Amino acid sequence: YHQPNDFYASFINLQLEQLNSALNKMDSHNANVLIVSGEPMSGKTFLINQFFNNNDRIEKKHIYPPKDLEFDNVENIIPSLYVDFDKEKNNLESLSSLPHGSVVVLDDFELWWRKSDKGFDKVNQWLDVFEKYSSDILFIVECNSFFLDLILKVSKIQDVLIQIVETPYFSGKQVEKVIAYKNKLANQIVNYKGVDISSKSFISNFFLYQILS
């Protein structure tokens, strides 16, 4: 589900423009953190991958949280966590080994807090890392919406933050297009309790339910 899809990509042009804007702002703003946030399965990884498809010359690495956080210093363990975008481990000596303008994606950033028995200790260490490399590396921090609200309230991430990009909420017309696309793939009309889900009444009720819930 993370593989780029031209149909879905047509709905995220605004978010892709925001990602490109953040990349261009890094040198002039002395800030280097871009947050990509949204609910689980809302397309965060797809959005990031699509951004890199459009900027394939960028040097990029993934860093996933380790299984446990039983270590003292985040920066010391970073080299062992590098993963190329083809999922291959790639041990570098340090972040300083990366060329200027590189992009490092921190997947599931909330786990650096959730797995820690010392609260925001590891997250705060990451903030120090961000500041240290503020003129060299763009960090794309991927996290859920709850953690985004939390980190904005209790940390100093605003000092290094360029932009927040949130996965899109679909408009009524976009939902119609999605349903029509799914119907075409299935080669049949999809119904819910006897109602054609591509009908305007179904879509209106769907959005009303979302608002009320």
Side-chain angles (χ1 to χ4, degrees):
Y1 61 91
H2 291 321
Q3 295 303 310
N5 176 287
D6 289 339
F7 176 75
Y8 179 75
S10 67
F11 295 108
I12 58 173
N13 288 331
L14 174 61
Q15 286 74 19
L16 291 173
E17 289 175 6
Q18 292 173 332
L19 288 167
N20 285 320
S21 174
L23 182 63
N24 295 329
K25 288 177 181 176
M26 192 182 81
D27 287 337
S28 59
H29 285 64
N30 199 34
N32 63 331
V33 174
L34 166 66
I35 295 178
V36 175
S37 179
E39 299 303 322
M41 304 294 290
S42 63
K44 298 186 295 295
T45 299
F46 175 87
L47 181 59
I48 293 170
N49 286 346
Q50 189 67 25
F51 166 69
F52 286 126
N53 279 358
N54 297 341
N55 297 275
D56 57 359
R57 295 183 180 180
I58 296 174
E59 179 74 23
K60 48 193 177 289
K61 301 292 179 187
H62 271 294
I63 292 180
Y64 296 94
K67 292 181 179 180
D68 65 70
L69 303 181
E70 300 299 321
F71 53 86
D72 294 327
N73 188 282
V74 163
E75 189 167 5
N76 289 344
I77 197 175
I78 288 173
S80 67
L81 302 177
Y82 284 129
V83 177
D84 283 334
F85 267 62
D86 58 5
K87 303 298 183 183
E88 294 294 323
K89 286 291 249 182
N90 188 332
N91 291 326
L92 300 175
E93 292 182 4
S94 67
L95 283 171
S96 59
S97 303
L98 294 173
H100 174 79
S102 296
V103 178
V104 173
V105 180
L106 303 178
D107 297 89
D108 300 321
F109 193 63
E110 62 270 11
L111 294 181
W112 292 91
W113 164 64
R114 286 175 52 194
K115 288 184 174 184
S116 175
D117 58 3
K118 298 180 180 179
F120 258 59
D121 174 56
K122 297 299 188 292
V123 172
N124 287 330
Q125 287 186 40
W126 265 114
L127 297 182
D128 292 337
V129 171
F130 298 156
E131 290 185 4
K132 181 176 179 179
Y133 295 94
S134 61
S135 61
D136 297 307
I137 298 171
L138 175 67
F139 292 91
I140 297 181
V141 172
E142 183 264 310
C143 66
N144 62 41
S145 301
F146 171 80
F147 187 72
L148 171 61
D149 291 339
L150 181 63
I151 197 172
L152 289 175
K153 290 175 181 176
V154 304
S155 80
K156 57 179 183 178
I157 198 167
Q158 295 277 11
D159 295 344
V160 291
L161 184 62
I162 298 178
Q163 193 155 357
I164 297 170
V165 178
E166 297 186 87
T167 49
Y169 292 94
F170 291 154
S171 67
K173 287 188 177 298
Q174 288 174 326
V175 171
E176 286 184 47
K177 289 182 179 179
V178 170
I179 293 172
Y181 180 72
K182 291 295 186 183
N183 287 347
K184 183 178 179 181
L185 290 178
N187 197 28
Q188 61 181 0
I189 301 298
V190 180
N191 293 279
Y192 176 72
K193 294 184 177 180
V195 179
D196 177 3
I197 67 171
S198 63
S199 67
K200 292 187 180 299
S201 61
F202 178 88
I203 294 172
S204 297
N205 290 334
F206 171 78
F207 276 102
L208 178 62
Y209 172 80
Q210 292 291 94
I211 293 170
L212 294 178
S213 61

